[in-house]
């Protein structure tokens, strides 16, 4: 075999030599090699070959030839302009279709944006506190006989001292506190507010942002810190520092500082303590513990849990480990017979989102709604994307010709994909602008629904980045399927007219429609159930008459002194049915006690009862209903040792014989049960009623209730009631609240969820219907000829209508089949959360299904009837 | 007169292409140069010069036949263009003019 040139040298020149020169150069080198082999030796030829190859390491041989027909880059401005121009033409040519696409996408994006803003607001609720990672509240978990745990924010007074002395190095700061709902008075101005009694270091712990004065002002027991709104309300533009404010009409405090308002106020629902951020002012704890005798008495009591305790952990201390360390801090000082409890450090980062406790741990609460709404937001956006995909593919037959021609004149598939993507990007960006406008318009409504004060963060780059990224992702998501699907068409088939979409081409479209409607139907069912549950609780018999009842505050201070006198005055006005006092209002249960004993009680159990003191007139004032025995009455001198129970208490005591007339011991005293009343709803209307013990007292009056005569104008009555009280307390403000309004607040949370759910459901249905409307119009259009022929052959409008509608109805029926079990499962779980809950009746599903069907038919019928009414001459003329 | 920029080596390569007439390609030109002038030049130098001359428009080229000894690769055959021809003529005319202007005794005699 003839010798060949060295392979390595060959490789080398093939690598570096410009392709357009390689053939001639290598040819010449080979020719020379063959001659060298003949004339000299193989070795010499090889050496020459190498030398010659290396000789070509010159610029001219290395330089690649410029392409005579360069491919334009897709980022080339000319191409971009072309893509956009074509996209714009396509949009304007099909106005209805563009409207459906842009409207649907905009609605979906606006929803997602609103939900995003809401979630952001909730998740960052407490982040404005610099020390939020190290702050915690001490909670008490009471452990019942049956192991049931109940966690609440009340602690006993000595706990702070105990934590300081035993675990001092783990905490930076500790502060006891107590809520104070008093109004602040300056001159003749009375402004109601919410405040806290707190220790000196509290403002620093919570890093109050001071506008004026000193953050440590509370070291002076006669000073007060107020927020900017309060300062403005009380003093206007005058300098507030050093001014005197009267609180409770008892004591004067000097303004020691003004702090910036906390950024996030929460709606007050009346069920629990308000959020700390609702506080408008802070008063010194040092002063508080000297004001009232019962507070002084409780200073060393481990059983009286009436206060809050906030702690700031040292920097390197983990809150969970610290909880383990301190959980027995209280039980070290009391016996098991007094009730078993453990302390829990509730980290600030969980306060807002995890407010529901289960087994002593914060597990649920708002976080569930954050998740729920995230899912809804994603789905609503998905619905809008599905519309886009469906309409694009449904029109594919129309655009197939365009794709064919584009391919015939040399479009590559990649270019077509970019063409379609640029269309979807254009639609997405137009939708984005529309959605921002929508959000601006809807935000006030949304804020009122969600009880929030959310603003669009115009100046935040994160927001714009998110919106932009979000739009791009949406456009890729919505545009990918049509782009990949339409660009795949075979040019020859399409142009020859033999192009047929396969039998299963519409299958993905149908799957998407089913997805849309499953979600919409599930939302409808969910909304109906939420409303049914709210209505169910609203219809729950509360067993007292809440209309015309008001609770009076302010002027009632020192009421025991003049109770009978003022009551007589009120009755004499003729506008009042009755007046009474009690330790708590009927809309709020404030005390629980254990330590009751009776004949036949199992000595190993320690049942807990709700506990209320009241004057003899309470029952008659609120109109509770006696089941057995008699009510308290001033006709009997012995009622100070009488006891009234509610039905739940009777059930808990479980005595076999009639309980009226029996004796129950409490704190070493014998009480005789004189009556049983029907359960009145004092707490959440969703909870089962707490077993209640009612006793009489004239001294433990925390709340005064007045029943206004029915038929008397409220305004007139209020004037007279105020006058009657002012006679005894002329300088105190007359505050009143209506019991029925207070009661209604208990539904605020669920009402809000119901309204938001309605909002989202309507949106989801709207978007789905838009899509369906578009689909129906394309289906009708594609079958114009068929309908024409059928009409000529004698088909009636009804039969044509059913022909065109039945496909969609079938899809909705399938969706209903998918949505029902899913909704049943999730809503069943949701309802289980409530002790007093409605059931998932079959009619909810039936109504939702029929509702969805009716909406579908209405949407589709518009198109199908329009198509069925067309004169066949018109549709068949052009062929 | 418009000046023609041709290096000395380029001029010789251009002339050699003219000498070889229809069979002017890399190796042939290299061999012919060797034969006619005794200069042993590398193939790459010839290719570079050909390339440059083609860029200047003095040569045109087309692909020729393939031969077995070239491993089946085609040759690039060069022909002198009108511009190339003009340049060669110009150079020659200029030289002749200069020669004609030299007075008979100005150059020292080199022949016997």
């Amino acid at each position: 075999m003839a010798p060949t040139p060295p392979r390595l040298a060959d490789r080398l020149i093939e690598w570096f030599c410009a392709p357009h020169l390689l053939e001639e150069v290598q040819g010449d080198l080979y020719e020379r090699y063959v001659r060298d082999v003949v004339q000299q030796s193989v070795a010499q030829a090889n050496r020459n070959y190498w030398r010659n190859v290396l000789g070509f390491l010159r610029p001219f041989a290395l330089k690649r030839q410029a392409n005579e027909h360069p491919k334009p880059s897709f980022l080339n401005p000319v191409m971009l302009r072309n893509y956009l121009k074509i996209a714009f033409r396509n949009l304007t040519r099909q106005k209805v279709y563009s409207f459906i696409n842009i409207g649907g996408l905009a609605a979906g994006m606006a929803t997602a944006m609103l939900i995003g803003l809401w979630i952001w607001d909730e998740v960052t609720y407490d982040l404005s506190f610099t020390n939020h990672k190290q702050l915690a509240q001490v909670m008490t978990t009471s452990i019942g006989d049956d192991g049931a745990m109940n966690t609440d924010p009340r602690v006993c007074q000595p706990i702070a001292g105990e934590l300081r002395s035993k675990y001092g190095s783990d905490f930076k700061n500790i502060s006891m506190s107590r809520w104070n709902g008093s109004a602040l008075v300056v001159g003749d101005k009375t402004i109601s507010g919410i405040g806290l009694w707190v220790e000196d270091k509290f403002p620093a712990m919570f890093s109050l942002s001071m506008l004026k004065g000193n953050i440590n002002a509370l070291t002076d027991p006669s000073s007060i810190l107020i927020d900017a709104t309060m300062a403005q309300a009380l003093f206007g533009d005058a300098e507030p520092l050093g001014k005197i404010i009267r609180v409770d009409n008892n004591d004067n405090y000097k303004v020691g500082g003004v702090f910036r308002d906390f950024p996030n106020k929460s709606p007050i629902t009346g069920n629990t303590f308000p959020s700390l951020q609702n506080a408008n002012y802070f008063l010194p704890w040092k002063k508080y513990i000297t004001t009232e005798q019962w507070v002084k008495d409780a200073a060393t009591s481990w059983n009286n849990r009436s206060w809050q305790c906030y702690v700031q952990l040292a920097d390197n201390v983990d809150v969970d480990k610290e909880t383990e360390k301190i959980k027995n801090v209280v039980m070290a000082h009391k016996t098991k017979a007094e009730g078993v409890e453990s302390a829990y450090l509730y980290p600030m980062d969980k306060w807002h989102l995890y407010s529901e406790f289960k087994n002593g741990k914060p597990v649920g609460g708002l976080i569930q709604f954050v998740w729920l709404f995230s899912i809804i937001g994603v789905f609503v956006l998905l619905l809008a994307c599905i519309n886009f995909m469906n309409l694009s593919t449904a029109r594919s037959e129309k655009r197939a010709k365009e794709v064919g021609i584009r391919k015939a004149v040399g479009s590559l598939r990649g270019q077509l994909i970019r063409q379609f993507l640029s269309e979807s990007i254009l639609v997405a960006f137009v939708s984005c602008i529309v959605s921002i406008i929508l959000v601006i318009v809807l935000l006030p409504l949304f804020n009122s629904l969600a009880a929030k004060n959310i603003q669009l963060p115009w100046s935040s780059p994160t927001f714009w980045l998110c919106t932009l990224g979000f739009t791009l992702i949406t456009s890729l998501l919505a545009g990918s399927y049509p782009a990949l699907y339409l660009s795949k068409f075979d040019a020859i088939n399409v142009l020859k007219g033999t192009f047929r979409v396969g039998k299963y081409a519409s299958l993905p479209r149908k799957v998407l429609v089913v997805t849309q409607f499953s979600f919409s139907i599930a939302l409808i069912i969910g909304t109906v159930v939420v409303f049914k549950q709210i209505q169910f609780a609203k219809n729950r018999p509360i067993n007292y008459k809440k209309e015309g009842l008001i609770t009076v505050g302010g002027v009632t201070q020192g009421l025991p002194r003049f109770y009978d006198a003022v009551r007589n005055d009120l009755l004499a006005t003729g506008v009042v049915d009755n007046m009474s006092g009690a330790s708590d209002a009927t809309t709020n249960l404030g005390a629980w006690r254990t330590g009751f004993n009776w004949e036949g009680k199992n000595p190993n159990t320690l049942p807990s009862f709700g506990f209320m003191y009241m004057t003899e007139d309470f029952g008659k004032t609120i109109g509770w209903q006696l089941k057995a025995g008699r009510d308290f009455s001033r006709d009997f001198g012995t009622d100070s040792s009488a006891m009234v129970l509610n039905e739940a208490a009777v059930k808990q005591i479980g005595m076999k014989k009639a309980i009226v007339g029996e004796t129950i011991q409490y704190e070493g005293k014998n009480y005789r049960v004189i009556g049983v009343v029907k359960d009145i709803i004092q707490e959440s209307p969703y909870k089962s009623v707490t077993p209640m013990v009612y006793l009489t007292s004239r001294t433990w009056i925390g709340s005064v209730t007045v029943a206004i005569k029915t038929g008397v104008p409220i305004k007139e009555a209020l004037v007279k009631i105020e006058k009657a009280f002012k006679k005894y307390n002329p300088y105190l403000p007359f505050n009143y609240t209506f019991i029925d309004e207070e009661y209604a607040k208990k539904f605020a949370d669920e009402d809000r969820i119901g309204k938001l759910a309605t909002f989202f459901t309507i949106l989801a249905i709207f978007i789905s219907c838009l899509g369906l409307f578009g689909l129906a119009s394309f289906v009708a259009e594609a079958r114009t000829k068929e309908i024409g022929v059928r009409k000529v052959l004698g088909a009636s409008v009804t039969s044509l209508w059913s022909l065109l509608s039945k496909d969609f109805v079938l899809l909705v029926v399938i969706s209903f089949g998918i949505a029902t079990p899913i909704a049943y499962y999730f809503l069943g779980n949701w309802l289980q959360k409530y002790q007093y809950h409605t059931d998932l009746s079959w009619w909810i599903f039936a109504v939702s299904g029929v509702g969805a069907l009716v909406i579908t038919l209405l949407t589709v019928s518009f198109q199908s009837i329009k198509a069925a009414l067309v004169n066949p001459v018109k549709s068949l003329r052009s062929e | 007169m418009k000046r023609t920029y041709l290096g000395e080596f380029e001029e010789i390569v251009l002339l050699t292409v003219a000498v070889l007439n229809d069979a002017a390609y890399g190796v042939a030109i290299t061999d012919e140069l060797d034969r006619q002038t005794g200069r042993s030049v590398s193939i790459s130098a010839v290719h570079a010069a050909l390339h440059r001359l083609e860029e200047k428009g003095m040569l045109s080229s087309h692909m020729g036949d393939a031969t077995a000894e070239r491993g089946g690769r085609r040759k690039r055959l060069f022909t002198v263009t009108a511009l190339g021809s003009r340049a060669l003529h110009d150079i020659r005319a200029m030289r002749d003019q200069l020669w004609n202007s030299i007075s008979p005794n100005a150059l020292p005699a080199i022949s016997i």
Side-chain angles (χ1 to χ4, degrees), chain A residues 379-449:
Chain A
F379 264 93
V380 170
L381 191 60
L382 204 63
L383 293 189
C385 290
I386 286 176
N387 273 354
F388 188 92
M389 290 187 196
N390 272 351
L391 292 178
S392 307
T393 51
R395 294 189 322 144
S396 60
E397 272 187 78
K398 286 198 135 187
R399 296 201 71 177
K401 288 232 162 66
E402 179 193 335
V403 171
I405 290 172
R406 280 181 181 277
K407 280 198 169 173
V409 297
S411 265
L412 299 177
R413 186 165 177 220
Q415 289 169 326
L416 284 172
I417 289 177
R418 284 194 287 274
Q419 166 72 52
F420 286 116
L421 277 185
S422 66
E423 260 174 54
S424 69
I425 288 173
L426 185 74
V427 169
F429 270 88
V430 173
S431 309
C432 175
I433 294 165
V434 176
S435 74
I436 288 178
I437 296 168
L438 266 180
V439 168
I440 294 171
V441 173
L442 286 179
L443 206 52
L445 176 70
F446 183 78
N447 274 337
S448 72
L449 278 187

Side-chain angles (χ1 to χ4, degrees), chain A residues 10 14 20-32 34-35 51-52 54-58 60 63, chain B residues 25-28 30-31 41-45 47-48 51 55 63 67 69-76 78:
Chain A
D10 245 6
E14 281 164 17
H20 70 287
L21 296 175
L22 185 63
E23 185 175 359
E24 58 200 82
V25 165
Q26 220 176 3
D28 280 4
L29 288 175
Y30 267 59
E31 202 178 323
R32 174 54 52 92
V34 171
R35 196 195 72 182
R51 204 172 48 237
N52 284 330
L54 294 176
F56 274 97
L57 277 170
R58 295 166 178 254
F60 89 94
K63 195 175 163 201
Chain B
Y25 68 97
V27 184
T30 317
D31 288 348
V41 289
S42 70
I43 301 178
S44 55
H47 270 271
H51 191 77
E55 274 184 351
M63 298 306 280
T67 63
E69 56 188 1
R70 294 174 66 85
R73 292 178 183 79
R74 292 174 298 169
K75 307 163 177 170
R76 183 174 286 280
F78 291 90

Side-chain angles (χ1 to χ4, degrees), chain A residues 273-313:
Chain A
F273 288 111
S275 147
L276 191 70
Q277 298 207 33
N278 283 28
N280 309 110
Y281 60 88
F282 293 103
L283 291 162
W285 178 260
K286 269 185 206 158
K287 173 79 181 188
Y288 170 70
I289 50 177
T290 63
T291 46
E292 288 181 69
Q293 188 55 41
W294 72 275
V295 179
K296 281 182 218 165
D297 292 345
T300 52
S301 163
W302 292 89
N303 278 323
N304 189 338
R305 301 195 291 110
S306 301
W307 297 272
Q308 279 74 54
C309 180
Y310 297 98
V311 299
Q312 182 184 2
L313 292 163

Side-chain angles (χ1 to χ4, degrees), chain A residues 301-370:
Chain A
S301 163
W302 292 89
N303 278 323
N304 189 338
R305 301 195 291 110
S306 301
W307 297 272
Q308 279 74 54
C309 180
Y310 297 98
V311 299
Q312 182 184 2
L313 292 163
D315 287 337
N316 48 1
V317 176
D318 177 70
V319 68
D320 290 330
K321 285 187 189 135
E322 193 60 26
T323 293
E324 272 311 298
K325 233 166 135 180
I326 63 144
K327 69 178 181 192
N328 289 323
V329 66
V330 174
M331 283 317 283
H333 295 272
K334 60 192 259 189
T335 63
K336 277 195 174 166
E338 290 171 294
V340 183
E341 63 181 64
S342 68
Y344 175 77
L345 292 178
Y346 183 27
M348 185 183 226
D349 285 345
K350 294 203 164 172
W351 285 4
H352 188 64
L353 293 179
Y354 300 85
S355 56
E356 273 164 33
F357 281 79
K358 208 170 189 181
N359 293 328
K361 295 252 180 279
V363 285
L366 206 52
I367 189 74
Q368 287 160 327
F369 293 110
V370 168

